[in-house]
Amino acid sequence: PPSLMTSNLNANSYWRKRKKGRNCLLQASAISYQKFIHFALNETKRHSLLLPSPLQERYGSMIALDGKTRLEMLSFEAPRIRLLRSISIEGEAMQVLDFAAFPKPEFDLPIFCGNFFTAANTNIVVLDLNPLHDVSSRRGYKERYYDSLMPLGLKYTELLPWGGKLTSESIKFFSPIVIWTKFSSSKSKHEVLYSAFMEYYKTWMELTEQAVEDTDPSQIRCNREAQHRYLTWRAEKDPGHGVLKRLIGEKLAKDLLRNFLFSGIDELGSKTFLDYFPEYRSEDGAINERRSIIGKSFETRPWDAKGEFVGNDLRK
Ligand code: BLA
């Protein structure tokens, strides 16, 4: 559905345009997340071959229905990364970044997740290495990926304190080092956020570089299903849904969520949202439109300094 498409940056022209300094239009707004994207792509190139994703052909940039807000999509892959993609939204009153990296199913690596929403004076932030497998029930997984990262997590969760109650279901997708925070805009907060993003991304790249490929088909299947479940959750219940719908209309927003942001839903598995999350089935068999069945909880950070979960146990 390319009606709103205005231009299409492929991976090569991305770097070319970058050099020409196409940022002059953005200087009117205080915050831009462009430098976050540039950092992450450069960091990836330092460690790995970065190839354009086939998605780049279909998803370039577009202008929203208001005729002003600009959405820019970038997508790549790498030998160990199934999909590295970002969307940035730059409007007069809104700046958004959703940056994610999904490993290939041969790796049980966490998923990199940087989600920043800025409007007026408000910032809503989630930055995490989202665990592929449950960190409470799979001790080995927590030990392998998170125990050594607790000092990093503690440093930034002190500077960027817990954002208060959130959709209870989301907590299962977060790790003990998640940064979940809200703040009003200030130069120093945005500098801290940029440092946190850089350090979390560097850490994720190092884990990716060091990871040992799984060769056991049942383990690979398990990784694939876990990633599919994650994608299925976010494509259906992501909090960005409403904003995207407002900007580009429901049809394009749905396409963007399923086929770009959380691409892989049709390839990595065949289970449906209700197979994974049956509690969302409403009486007529459709998916309950509410974001949460349980409601909001976790007023305070539900992990201790060692990364042990200390919230009410909602896991089954
Ligand atoms: C709010 N975004 C939130 C909240 C969370 C997240 C936890 C608080 C509200 C809630 O508890 O649901 C983010 N939730 C996540 C993430 C995961 C998750 C990253 O489960 C991953 C597993 N946010 C975006 C984008 C937009 C956006 C791209 O990432 C807009 C295009 C908007 N997020 C947005 C808005 C709110 C929000 C407007 C406040 C409104 C609300 O609470 O729903």
mmCIF file with all atom_site columns, all heavy atoms in Angstrom, residues 96 98 113 115 117 124 126 166-167 170 173-174 180 233-234 239-240 243 291 296, ligand 1:
data_model
loop_
_atom_site.group_PDB
_atom_site.id
_atom_site.type_symbol
_atom_site.label_atom_id
_atom_site.label_alt_id
_atom_site.label_comp_id
_atom_site.label_asym_id
_atom_site.label_entity_id
_atom_site.label_seq_id
_atom_site.pdbx_PDB_ins_code
_atom_site.Cartn_x
_atom_site.Cartn_y
_atom_site.Cartn_z
_atom_site.occupancy
_atom_site.B_iso_or_equiv
_atom_site.pdbx_formal_charge
_atom_site.auth_seq_id
_atom_site.auth_comp_id
_atom_site.auth_asym_id
_atom_site.auth_atom_id
_atom_site.pdbx_PDB_model_num
ATOM   1   N N   . VAL A 1 96  ? 9.911  10.298  17.837 1.00 0.00 ? 96  VAL A N   1
ATOM   2   C CA  . VAL A 1 96  ? 9.812  8.903   18.263 1.00 0.00 ? 96  VAL A CA  1
ATOM   3   C C   . VAL A 1 96  ? 10.945 8.107   17.649 1.00 0.00 ? 96  VAL A C   1
ATOM   4   O O   . VAL A 1 96  ? 11.320 8.323   16.493 1.00 0.00 ? 96  VAL A O   1
ATOM   5   C CB  . VAL A 1 96  ? 8.463  8.286   17.800 1.00 0.00 ? 96  VAL A CB  1
ATOM   6   C CG1 . VAL A 1 96  ? 8.391  6.806   18.175 1.00 0.00 ? 96  VAL A CG1 1
ATOM   7   C CG2 . VAL A 1 96  ? 7.279  9.030   18.396 1.00 0.00 ? 96  VAL A CG2 1
ATOM   8   N N   . ASP A 1 98  ? 11.862 3.892   17.439 1.00 0.00 ? 98  ASP A N   1
ATOM   9   C CA  . ASP A 1 98  ? 11.711 2.482   17.802 1.00 0.00 ? 98  ASP A CA  1
ATOM   10  C C   . ASP A 1 98  ? 12.814 1.746   17.063 1.00 0.00 ? 98  ASP A C   1
ATOM   11  O O   . ASP A 1 98  ? 12.784 1.639   15.835 1.00 0.00 ? 98  ASP A O   1
ATOM   12  C CB  . ASP A 1 98  ? 10.314 1.984   17.396 1.00 0.00 ? 98  ASP A CB  1
ATOM   13  C CG  . ASP A 1 98  ? 10.126 0.495   17.695 1.00 0.00 ? 98  ASP A CG  1
ATOM   14  O OD1 . ASP A 1 98  ? 11.126 -0.225  17.863 1.00 0.00 ? 98  ASP A OD1 1
ATOM   15  O OD2 . ASP A 1 98  ? 8.961  0.052   17.743 1.00 0.00 ? 98  ASP A OD2 1
ATOM   16  N N   . CYS A 1 113 ? 16.056 -3.645  22.203 1.00 0.00 ? 113 CYS A N   1
ATOM   17  C CA  . CYS A 1 113 ? 14.802 -2.881  22.172 1.00 0.00 ? 113 CYS A CA  1
ATOM   18  C C   . CYS A 1 113 ? 15.032 -1.471  22.693 1.00 0.00 ? 113 CYS A C   1
ATOM   19  O O   . CYS A 1 113 ? 15.290 -1.279  23.879 1.00 0.00 ? 113 CYS A O   1
ATOM   20  C CB  . CYS A 1 113 ? 13.761 -3.617  23.024 1.00 0.00 ? 113 CYS A CB  1
ATOM   21  S SG  . CYS A 1 113 ? 12.299 -2.675  23.473 1.00 0.00 ? 113 CYS A SG  1
ATOM   22  N N   . ASN A 1 115 ? 12.959 2.012   22.690 1.00 0.00 ? 115 ASN A N   1
ATOM   23  C CA  . ASN A 1 115 ? 11.704 2.663   22.340 1.00 0.00 ? 115 ASN A CA  1
ATOM   24  C C   . ASN A 1 115 ? 11.567 3.990   23.070 1.00 0.00 ? 115 ASN A C   1
ATOM   25  O O   . ASN A 1 115 ? 11.421 4.016   24.288 1.00 0.00 ? 115 ASN A O   1
ATOM   26  C CB  . ASN A 1 115 ? 10.524 1.766   22.732 1.00 0.00 ? 115 ASN A CB  1
ATOM   27  C CG  . ASN A 1 115 ? 10.229 0.752   21.659 1.00 0.00 ? 115 ASN A CG  1
ATOM   28  O OD1 . ASN A 1 115 ? 10.984 -0.210  21.496 1.00 0.00 ? 115 ASN A OD1 1
ATOM   29  N ND2 . ASN A 1 115 ? 9.178  0.979   20.910 1.00 0.00 ? 115 ASN A ND2 1
ATOM   30  N N   . PHE A 1 117 ? 9.609  7.723   23.105 1.00 0.00 ? 117 PHE A N   1
ATOM   31  C CA  . PHE A 1 117 ? 8.504  8.547   22.632 1.00 0.00 ? 117 PHE A CA  1
ATOM   32  C C   . PHE A 1 117 ? 8.594  9.900   23.321 1.00 0.00 ? 117 PHE A C   1
ATOM   33  O O   . PHE A 1 117 ? 8.600  9.979   24.550 1.00 0.00 ? 117 PHE A O   1
ATOM   34  C CB  . PHE A 1 117 ? 7.163  7.861   22.975 1.00 0.00 ? 117 PHE A CB  1
ATOM   35  C CG  . PHE A 1 117 ? 5.966  8.694   22.633 1.00 0.00 ? 117 PHE A CG  1
ATOM   36  C CD1 . PHE A 1 117 ? 5.443  8.692   21.344 1.00 0.00 ? 117 PHE A CD1 1
ATOM   37  C CD2 . PHE A 1 117 ? 5.356  9.493   23.593 1.00 0.00 ? 117 PHE A CD2 1
ATOM   38  C CE1 . PHE A 1 117 ? 4.336  9.468   21.018 1.00 0.00 ? 117 PHE A CE1 1
ATOM   39  C CE2 . PHE A 1 117 ? 4.243  10.271  23.281 1.00 0.00 ? 117 PHE A CE2 1
ATOM   40  C CZ  . PHE A 1 117 ? 3.734  10.248  21.987 1.00 0.00 ? 117 PHE A CZ  1
ATOM   41  N N   . ILE A 1 124 ? 8.692  9.020   27.175 1.00 0.00 ? 124 ILE A N   1
ATOM   42  C CA  . ILE A 1 124 ? 8.361  7.665   27.633 1.00 0.00 ? 124 ILE A CA  1
ATOM   43  C C   . ILE A 1 124 ? 9.405  6.742   27.021 1.00 0.00 ? 124 ILE A C   1
ATOM   44  O O   . ILE A 1 124 ? 9.560  6.705   25.804 1.00 0.00 ? 124 ILE A O   1
ATOM   45  C CB  . ILE A 1 124 ? 6.948  7.261   27.172 1.00 0.00 ? 124 ILE A CB  1
ATOM   46  C CG1 . ILE A 1 124 ? 5.910  8.237   27.735 1.00 0.00 ? 124 ILE A CG1 1
ATOM   47  C CG2 . ILE A 1 124 ? 6.633  5.836   27.595 1.00 0.00 ? 124 ILE A CG2 1
ATOM   48  C CD1 . ILE A 1 124 ? 4.495  7.985   27.232 1.00 0.00 ? 124 ILE A CD1 1
ATOM   49  N N   . VAL A 1 126 ? 11.569 2.974   26.944 1.00 0.00 ? 126 VAL A N   1
ATOM   50  C CA  . VAL A 1 126 ? 11.931 1.592   27.281 1.00 0.00 ? 126 VAL A CA  1
ATOM   51  C C   . VAL A 1 126 ? 13.218 1.273   26.529 1.00 0.00 ? 126 VAL A C   1
ATOM   52  O O   . VAL A 1 126 ? 13.286 1.420   25.305 1.00 0.00 ? 126 VAL A O   1
ATOM   53  C CB  . VAL A 1 126 ? 10.833 0.572   26.890 1.00 0.00 ? 126 VAL A CB  1
ATOM   54  C CG1 . VAL A 1 126 ? 11.330 -0.861  27.101 1.00 0.00 ? 126 VAL A CG1 1
ATOM   55  C CG2 . VAL A 1 126 ? 9.562  0.790   27.701 1.00 0.00 ? 126 VAL A CG2 1
ATOM   56  N N   . LEU A 1 166 ? 2.861  -0.160  34.917 1.00 0.00 ? 166 LEU A N   1
ATOM   57  C CA  . LEU A 1 166 ? 2.759  -0.401  33.480 1.00 0.00 ? 166 LEU A CA  1
ATOM   58  C C   . LEU A 1 166 ? 1.903  -1.637  33.247 1.00 0.00 ? 166 LEU A C   1
ATOM   59  O O   . LEU A 1 166 ? 1.593  -2.382  34.179 1.00 0.00 ? 166 LEU A O   1
ATOM   60  C CB  . LEU A 1 166 ? 4.151  -0.555  32.847 1.00 0.00 ? 166 LEU A CB  1
ATOM   61  C CG  . LEU A 1 166 ? 4.920  -1.847  33.069 1.00 0.00 ? 166 LEU A CG  1
ATOM   62  C CD1 . LEU A 1 166 ? 6.035  -1.965  32.064 1.00 0.00 ? 166 LEU A CD1 1
ATOM   63  C CD2 . LEU A 1 166 ? 5.485  -1.932  34.470 1.00 0.00 ? 166 LEU A CD2 1
ATOM   64  N N   . THR A 1 167 ? 1.535  -1.814  31.988 1.00 0.00 ? 167 THR A N   1
ATOM   65  C CA  . THR A 1 167 ? 0.775  -2.994  31.587 1.00 0.00 ? 167 THR A CA  1
ATOM   66  C C   . THR A 1 167 ? 1.447  -4.250  32.141 1.00 0.00 ? 167 THR A C   1
ATOM   67  O O   . THR A 1 167 ? 2.594  -4.535  31.810 1.00 0.00 ? 167 THR A O   1
ATOM   68  C CB  . THR A 1 167 ? 0.743  -3.044  30.043 1.00 0.00 ? 167 THR A CB  1
ATOM   69  O OG1 . THR A 1 167 ? 0.098  -1.865  29.577 1.00 0.00 ? 167 THR A OG1 1
ATOM   70  C CG2 . THR A 1 167 ? -0.001 -4.261  29.536 1.00 0.00 ? 167 THR A CG2 1
ATOM   71  N N   . SER A 1 170 ? 3.420  -6.789  30.061 1.00 0.00 ? 170 SER A N   1
ATOM   72  C CA  . SER A 1 170 ? 4.691  -6.396  29.443 1.00 0.00 ? 170 SER A CA  1
ATOM   73  C C   . SER A 1 170 ? 5.904  -6.867  30.237 1.00 0.00 ? 170 SER A C   1
ATOM   74  O O   . SER A 1 170 ? 6.971  -7.065  29.676 1.00 0.00 ? 170 SER A O   1
ATOM   75  C CB  . SER A 1 170 ? 4.774  -4.875  29.325 1.00 0.00 ? 170 SER A CB  1
ATOM   76  O OG  . SER A 1 170 ? 3.912  -4.422  28.313 1.00 0.00 ? 170 SER A OG  1
ATOM   77  N N   . PHE A 1 173 ? 8.280  -9.533  29.142 1.00 0.00 ? 173 PHE A N   1
ATOM   78  C CA  . PHE A 1 173 ? 9.144  -9.295  27.983 1.00 0.00 ? 173 PHE A CA  1
ATOM   79  C C   . PHE A 1 173 ? 10.367 -8.467  28.355 1.00 0.00 ? 173 PHE A C   1
ATOM   80  O O   . PHE A 1 173 ? 11.206 -8.186  27.511 1.00 0.00 ? 173 PHE A O   1
ATOM   81  C CB  . PHE A 1 173 ? 8.350  -8.614  26.862 1.00 0.00 ? 173 PHE A CB  1
ATOM   82  C CG  . PHE A 1 173 ? 7.223  -9.465  26.354 1.00 0.00 ? 173 PHE A CG  1
ATOM   83  C CD1 . PHE A 1 173 ? 5.931  -9.286  26.802 1.00 0.00 ? 173 PHE A CD1 1
ATOM   84  C CD2 . PHE A 1 173 ? 7.474  -10.502 25.453 1.00 0.00 ? 173 PHE A CD2 1
ATOM   85  C CE1 . PHE A 1 173 ? 4.892  -10.105 26.364 1.00 0.00 ? 173 PHE A CE1 1
ATOM   86  C CE2 . PHE A 1 173 ? 6.446  -11.320 25.007 1.00 0.00 ? 173 PHE A CE2 1
ATOM   87  C CZ  . PHE A 1 173 ? 5.144  -11.129 25.457 1.00 0.00 ? 173 PHE A CZ  1
ATOM   88  N N   . PHE A 1 174 ? 10.447 -8.068  29.609 1.00 0.00 ? 174 PHE A N   1
ATOM   89  C CA  . PHE A 1 174 ? 11.550 -7.204  30.044 1.00 0.00 ? 174 PHE A CA  1
ATOM   90  C C   . PHE A 1 174 ? 12.574 -8.001  30.831 1.00 0.00 ? 174 PHE A C   1
ATOM   91  O O   . PHE A 1 174 ? 12.260 -9.012  31.463 1.00 0.00 ? 174 PHE A O   1
ATOM   92  C CB  . PHE A 1 174 ? 11.021 -6.066  30.927 1.00 0.00 ? 174 PHE A CB  1
ATOM   93  C CG  . PHE A 1 174 ? 10.156 -5.057  30.206 1.00 0.00 ? 174 PHE A CG  1
ATOM   94  C CD1 . PHE A 1 174 ? 9.460  -4.090  30.918 1.00 0.00 ? 174 PHE A CD1 1
ATOM   95  C CD2 . PHE A 1 174 ? 10.035 -5.067  28.825 1.00 0.00 ? 174 PHE A CD2 1
ATOM   96  C CE1 . PHE A 1 174 ? 8.655  -3.147  30.268 1.00 0.00 ? 174 PHE A CE1 1
ATOM   97  C CE2 . PHE A 1 174 ? 9.227  -4.136  28.168 1.00 0.00 ? 174 PHE A CE2 1
ATOM   98  C CZ  . PHE A 1 174 ? 8.536  -3.178  28.894 1.00 0.00 ? 174 PHE A CZ  1
ATOM   99  N N   . TRP A 1 180 ? 12.963 1.438   32.225 1.00 0.00 ? 180 TRP A N   1
ATOM   100 C CA  . TRP A 1 180 ? 11.578 1.881   31.959 1.00 0.00 ? 180 TRP A CA  1
ATOM   101 C C   . TRP A 1 180 ? 11.407 3.189   32.708 1.00 0.00 ? 180 TRP A C   1
ATOM   102 O O   . TRP A 1 180 ? 11.475 3.225   33.930 1.00 0.00 ? 180 TRP A O   1
ATOM   103 C CB  . TRP A 1 180 ? 10.583 0.797   32.412 1.00 0.00 ? 180 TRP A CB  1
ATOM   104 C CG  . TRP A 1 180 ? 9.220  1.316   32.834 1.00 0.00 ? 180 TRP A CG  1
ATOM   105 C CD1 . TRP A 1 180 ? 8.634  1.171   34.060 1.00 0.00 ? 180 TRP A CD1 1
ATOM   106 C CD2 . TRP A 1 180 ? 8.269  2.042   32.034 1.00 0.00 ? 180 TRP A CD2 1
ATOM   107 N NE1 . TRP A 1 180 ? 7.394  1.774   34.084 1.00 0.00 ? 180 TRP A NE1 1
ATOM   108 C CE2 . TRP A 1 180 ? 7.144  2.318   32.856 1.00 0.00 ? 180 TRP A CE2 1
ATOM   109 C CE3 . TRP A 1 180 ? 8.261  2.509   30.705 1.00 0.00 ? 180 TRP A CE3 1
ATOM   110 C CZ2 . TRP A 1 180 ? 6.035  3.024   32.390 1.00 0.00 ? 180 TRP A CZ2 1
ATOM   111 C CZ3 . TRP A 1 180 ? 7.158  3.218   30.247 1.00 0.00 ? 180 TRP A CZ3 1
ATOM   112 C CH2 . TRP A 1 180 ? 6.055  3.456   31.084 1.00 0.00 ? 180 TRP A CH2 1
ATOM   113 N N   . TRP A 1 233 ? 3.137  -10.712 20.080 1.00 0.00 ? 233 TRP A N   1
ATOM   114 C CA  . TRP A 1 233 ? 2.684  -9.821  21.159 1.00 0.00 ? 233 TRP A CA  1
ATOM   115 C C   . TRP A 1 233 ? 2.783  -8.355  20.747 1.00 0.00 ? 233 TRP A C   1
ATOM   116 O O   . TRP A 1 233 ? 1.824  -7.580  20.821 1.00 0.00 ? 233 TRP A O   1
ATOM   117 C CB  . TRP A 1 233 ? 3.511  -10.069 22.438 1.00 0.00 ? 233 TRP A CB  1
ATOM   118 C CG  . TRP A 1 233 ? 3.315  -8.990  23.462 1.00 0.00 ? 233 TRP A CG  1
ATOM   119 C CD1 . TRP A 1 233 ? 4.160  -7.964  23.755 1.00 0.00 ? 233 TRP A CD1 1
ATOM   120 C CD2 . TRP A 1 233 ? 2.162  -8.801  24.300 1.00 0.00 ? 233 TRP A CD2 1
ATOM   121 N NE1 . TRP A 1 233 ? 3.626  -7.152  24.721 1.00 0.00 ? 233 TRP A NE1 1
ATOM   122 C CE2 . TRP A 1 233 ? 2.396  -7.634  25.073 1.00 0.00 ? 233 TRP A CE2 1
ATOM   123 C CE3 . TRP A 1 233 ? 0.961  -9.497  24.472 1.00 0.00 ? 233 TRP A CE3 1
ATOM   124 C CZ2 . TRP A 1 233 ? 1.475  -7.149  26.003 1.00 0.00 ? 233 TRP A CZ2 1
ATOM   125 C CZ3 . TRP A 1 233 ? 0.043  -9.005  25.396 1.00 0.00 ? 233 TRP A CZ3 1
ATOM   126 C CH2 . TRP A 1 233 ? 0.301  -7.859  26.150 1.00 0.00 ? 233 TRP A CH2 1
ATOM   127 N N   . ARG A 1 234 ? 3.963  -7.989  20.256 1.00 0.00 ? 234 ARG A N   1
ATOM   128 C CA  . ARG A 1 234 ? 4.181  -6.565  19.984 1.00 0.00 ? 234 ARG A CA  1
ATOM   129 C C   . ARG A 1 234 ? 3.374  -6.078  18.795 1.00 0.00 ? 234 ARG A C   1
ATOM   130 O O   . ARG A 1 234 ? 2.877  -4.952  18.798 1.00 0.00 ? 234 ARG A O   1
ATOM   131 C CB  . ARG A 1 234 ? 5.677  -6.286  19.811 1.00 0.00 ? 234 ARG A CB  1
ATOM   132 C CG  . ARG A 1 234 ? 6.435  -6.473  21.136 1.00 0.00 ? 234 ARG A CG  1
ATOM   133 C CD  . ARG A 1 234 ? 7.735  -5.743  21.169 1.00 0.00 ? 234 ARG A CD  1
ATOM   134 N NE  . ARG A 1 234 ? 7.576  -4.301  21.046 1.00 0.00 ? 234 ARG A NE  1
ATOM   135 C CZ  . ARG A 1 234 ? 8.586  -3.462  20.895 1.00 0.00 ? 234 ARG A CZ  1
ATOM   136 N NH1 . ARG A 1 234 ? 9.828  -3.923  20.848 1.00 0.00 ? 234 ARG A NH1 1
ATOM   137 N NH2 . ARG A 1 234 ? 8.377  -2.167  20.795 1.00 0.00 ? 234 ARG A NH2 1
ATOM   138 N N   . PRO A 1 239 ? 2.242  -0.314  22.435 1.00 0.00 ? 239 PRO A N   1
ATOM   139 C CA  . PRO A 1 239 ? 1.639  0.981   22.789 1.00 0.00 ? 239 PRO A CA  1
ATOM   140 C C   . PRO A 1 239 ? 1.757  2.034   21.693 1.00 0.00 ? 239 PRO A C   1
ATOM   141 O O   . PRO A 1 239 ? 1.045  3.036   21.733 1.00 0.00 ? 239 PRO A O   1
ATOM   142 C CB  . PRO A 1 239 ? 2.421  1.422   24.030 1.00 0.00 ? 239 PRO A CB  1
ATOM   143 C CG  . PRO A 1 239 ? 3.204  0.246   24.472 1.00 0.00 ? 239 PRO A CG  1
ATOM   144 C CD  . PRO A 1 239 ? 3.340  -0.676  23.323 1.00 0.00 ? 239 PRO A CD  1
ATOM   145 N N   . GLY A 1 240 ? 2.626  1.811   20.704 1.00 0.00 ? 240 GLY A N   1
ATOM   146 C CA  . GLY A 1 240 ? 2.761  2.780   19.619 1.00 0.00 ? 240 GLY A CA  1
ATOM   147 C C   . GLY A 1 240 ? 1.636  2.722   18.599 1.00 0.00 ? 240 GLY A C   1
ATOM   148 O O   . GLY A 1 240 ? 1.481  3.614   17.760 1.00 0.00 ? 240 GLY A O   1
ATOM   149 N N   . VAL A 1 243 ? -0.701 5.832   18.088 1.00 0.00 ? 243 VAL A N   1
ATOM   150 C CA  . VAL A 1 243 ? -0.037 6.980   17.467 1.00 0.00 ? 243 VAL A CA  1
ATOM   151 C C   . VAL A 1 243 ? 0.125  6.729   15.960 1.00 0.00 ? 243 VAL A C   1
ATOM   152 O O   . VAL A 1 243 ? -0.153 7.608   15.133 1.00 0.00 ? 243 VAL A O   1
ATOM   153 C CB  . VAL A 1 243 ? 1.346  7.222   18.117 1.00 0.00 ? 243 VAL A CB  1
ATOM   154 C CG1 . VAL A 1 243 ? 2.086  8.343   17.398 1.00 0.00 ? 243 VAL A CG1 1
ATOM   155 C CG2 . VAL A 1 243 ? 1.183  7.545   19.594 1.00 0.00 ? 243 VAL A CG2 1
ATOM   156 N N   . ARG A 1 291 ? -5.508 -3.400  25.954 1.00 0.00 ? 291 ARG A N   1
ATOM   157 C CA  . ARG A 1 291 ? -4.073 -3.679  25.968 1.00 0.00 ? 291 ARG A CA  1
ATOM   158 C C   . ARG A 1 291 ? -3.749 -4.724  27.019 1.00 0.00 ? 291 ARG A C   1
ATOM   159 O O   . ARG A 1 291 ? -2.843 -5.527  26.873 1.00 0.00 ? 291 ARG A O   1
ATOM   160 C CB  . ARG A 1 291 ? -3.299 -2.393  26.267 1.00 0.00 ? 291 ARG A CB  1
ATOM   161 C CG  . ARG A 1 291 ? -3.340 -1.356  25.150 1.00 0.00 ? 291 ARG A CG  1
ATOM   162 C CD  . ARG A 1 291 ? -2.131 -1.478  24.233 1.00 0.00 ? 291 ARG A CD  1
ATOM   163 N NE  . ARG A 1 291 ? -0.902 -1.620  25.018 1.00 0.00 ? 291 ARG A NE  1
ATOM   164 C CZ  . ARG A 1 291 ? -0.369 -0.660  25.758 1.00 0.00 ? 291 ARG A CZ  1
ATOM   165 N NH1 . ARG A 1 291 ? -0.891 0.543   25.766 1.00 0.00 ? 291 ARG A NH1 1
ATOM   166 N NH2 . ARG A 1 291 ? 0.713  -0.883  26.452 1.00 0.00 ? 291 ARG A NH2 1
ATOM   167 N N   . LYS A 1 296 ? -2.811 -2.659  35.194 1.00 0.00 ? 296 LYS A N   1
ATOM   168 C CA  . LYS A 1 296 ? -1.448 -2.141  35.407 1.00 0.00 ? 296 LYS A CA  1
ATOM   169 C C   . LYS A 1 296 ? -0.930 -2.547  36.780 1.00 0.00 ? 296 LYS A C   1
ATOM   170 O O   . LYS A 1 296 ? -1.697 -2.627  37.729 1.00 0.00 ? 296 LYS A O   1
ATOM   171 C CB  . LYS A 1 296 ? -1.440 -0.625  35.269 1.00 0.00 ? 296 LYS A CB  1
ATOM   172 C CG  . LYS A 1 296 ? -1.749 -0.187  33.840 1.00 0.00 ? 296 LYS A CG  1
ATOM   173 C CD  . LYS A 1 296 ? -1.163 1.155   33.513 1.00 0.00 ? 296 LYS A CD  1
ATOM   174 C CE  . LYS A 1 296 ? -1.422 1.474   32.036 1.00 0.00 ? 296 LYS A CE  1
ATOM   175 N NZ  . LYS A 1 296 ? -0.532 2.508   31.537 1.00 0.00 ? 296 LYS A NZ  1
HETATM 176 C C1  . BLA B 2 .   ? 3.556  4.059   26.605 1.00 0.00 ? 1   BLA B C1  1
HETATM 177 N N1  . BLA B 2 .   ? 5.225  2.344   25.925 1.00 0.00 ? 1   BLA B N1  1
HETATM 178 C C2  . BLA B 2 .   ? 4.365  2.895   26.819 1.00 0.00 ? 1   BLA B C2  1
HETATM 179 C C3  . BLA B 2 .   ? 4.367  2.132   28.011 1.00 0.00 ? 1   BLA B C3  1
HETATM 180 C C4  . BLA B 2 .   ? 5.236  1.065   27.810 1.00 0.00 ? 1   BLA B C4  1
HETATM 181 C C5  . BLA B 2 .   ? 5.760  1.194   26.497 1.00 0.00 ? 1   BLA B C5  1
HETATM 182 C C6  . BLA B 2 .   ? 5.559  -0.018  28.830 1.00 0.00 ? 1   BLA B C6  1
HETATM 183 C C7  . BLA B 2 .   ? 3.556  2.477   29.252 1.00 0.00 ? 1   BLA B C7  1
HETATM 184 C C8  . BLA B 2 .   ? 2.131  2.085   29.078 1.00 0.00 ? 1   BLA B C8  1
HETATM 185 C C9  . BLA B 2 .   ? 1.952  0.595   29.293 1.00 0.00 ? 1   BLA B C9  1
HETATM 186 O O1  . BLA B 2 .   ? 2.131  0.155   30.408 1.00 0.00 ? 1   BLA B O1  1
HETATM 187 O O2  . BLA B 2 .   ? 1.677  -0.100  28.308 1.00 0.00 ? 1   BLA B O2  1
HETATM 188 C C10 . BLA B 2 .   ? 6.677  0.370   25.784 1.00 0.00 ? 1   BLA B C10 1
HETATM 189 N N2  . BLA B 2 .   ? 5.810  -1.895  26.205 1.00 0.00 ? 1   BLA B N2  1
HETATM 190 C C11 . BLA B 2 .   ? 6.703  -1.019  25.670 1.00 0.00 ? 1   BLA B C11 1
HETATM 191 C C12 . BLA B 2 .   ? 7.701  -1.791  24.972 1.00 0.00 ? 1   BLA B C12 1
HETATM 192 C C13 . BLA B 2 .   ? 7.387  -3.122  25.111 1.00 0.00 ? 1   BLA B C13 1
HETATM 193 C C14 . BLA B 2 .   ? 6.184  -3.180  25.892 1.00 0.00 ? 1   BLA B C14 1
HETATM 194 C C15 . BLA B 2 .   ? 8.857  -1.238  24.232 1.00 0.00 ? 1   BLA B C15 1
HETATM 195 O O3  . BLA B 2 .   ? 5.585  -4.224  26.213 1.00 0.00 ? 1   BLA B O3  1
HETATM 196 C C16 . BLA B 2 .   ? 8.158  -4.236  24.571 1.00 0.00 ? 1   BLA B C16 1
HETATM 197 C C17 . BLA B 2 .   ? 7.908  -5.515  24.868 1.00 0.00 ? 1   BLA B C17 1
HETATM 198 N N3  . BLA B 2 .   ? 5.867  4.075   21.974 1.00 0.00 ? 1   BLA B N3  1
HETATM 199 C C18 . BLA B 2 .   ? 6.663  3.516   21.030 1.00 0.00 ? 1   BLA B C18 1
HETATM 200 C C19 . BLA B 2 .   ? 6.319  4.035   19.750 1.00 0.00 ? 1   BLA B C19 1
HETATM 201 C C20 . BLA B 2 .   ? 5.300  4.922   19.954 1.00 0.00 ? 1   BLA B C20 1
HETATM 202 C C21 . BLA B 2 .   ? 5.014  4.913   21.367 1.00 0.00 ? 1   BLA B C21 1
HETATM 203 C C22 . BLA B 2 .   ? 6.984  3.623   18.466 1.00 0.00 ? 1   BLA B C22 1
HETATM 204 O O4  . BLA B 2 .   ? 7.529  2.712   21.251 1.00 0.00 ? 1   BLA B O4  1
HETATM 205 C C23 . BLA B 2 .   ? 4.575  5.727   18.995 1.00 0.00 ? 1   BLA B C23 1
HETATM 206 C C24 . BLA B 2 .   ? 4.620  5.542   17.686 1.00 0.00 ? 1   BLA B C24 1
HETATM 207 C C25 . BLA B 2 .   ? 4.008  5.638   22.005 1.00 0.00 ? 1   BLA B C25 1
HETATM 208 N N4  . BLA B 2 .   ? 4.064  4.612   24.258 1.00 0.00 ? 1   BLA B N4  1
HETATM 209 C C26 . BLA B 2 .   ? 3.606  5.487   23.349 1.00 0.00 ? 1   BLA B C26 1
HETATM 210 C C27 . BLA B 2 .   ? 2.584  6.296   23.959 1.00 0.00 ? 1   BLA B C27 1
HETATM 211 C C28 . BLA B 2 .   ? 2.471  5.870   25.266 1.00 0.00 ? 1   BLA B C28 1
HETATM 212 C C29 . BLA B 2 .   ? 3.397  4.787   25.430 1.00 0.00 ? 1   BLA B C29 1
HETATM 213 C C30 . BLA B 2 .   ? 1.805  7.388   23.258 1.00 0.00 ? 1   BLA B C30 1
HETATM 214 C C31 . BLA B 2 .   ? 1.555  6.432   26.346 1.00 0.00 ? 1   BLA B C31 1
HETATM 215 C C32 . BLA B 2 .   ? 0.154  5.992   26.140 1.00 0.00 ? 1   BLA B C32 1
HETATM 216 C C33 . BLA B 2 .   ? -0.090 4.644   26.752 1.00 0.00 ? 1   BLA B C33 1
HETATM 217 O O5  . BLA B 2 .   ? 0.200  4.479   27.949 1.00 0.00 ? 1   BLA B O5  1
HETATM 218 O O6  . BLA B 2 .   ? -0.592 3.755   26.051 1.00 0.00 ? 1   BLA B O6  1
#
